[in-house]
Amino acid sequence: MPWKCPHSVQLLLHNENDAVFGMWMLLDGRWLEVPMPRTARRSADGHLQRTDCPDDEYQ
């Protein structure tokens, strides 16, 4: 679908095991996740979590 300003689109995604939503934007023609304050994507399983909460808070 044509879009007047595709670079201004922000998409919030939440996987079933994520603790919070992640924000994605079109940057240079590709969808890239934008780093959010106090969040980190765990390298072991790819889940997004808050860095200022206990590990077991969202389990």
Side-chain angles (χ1 to χ4, degrees), residues 16-53:
E16 63 182 301
N17 294 318
D18 286 347
V20 294
F21 282 85
M23 184 169 67
W24 294 72
M25 293 181 69
L26 273 174
L27 299 171
D28 299 324
R30 296 179 46 218
W31 283 106
L32 296 174
E33 188 170 19
V34 178
M36 301 285 284
R38 298 184 183 179
T39 63
R41 194 161 289 283
R42 294 190 308 215
S43 59
D45 55 17
H47 296 151
L48 190 63
Q49 68 181 36
R50 291 284 304 242
T51 58
D52 58 350
C53 293

Side-chain angles (χ1 to χ4, degrees), residues 3 6 8-9 26 49:
W3 195 269
S8 67
V9 174
L26 273 174
Q49 68 181 36

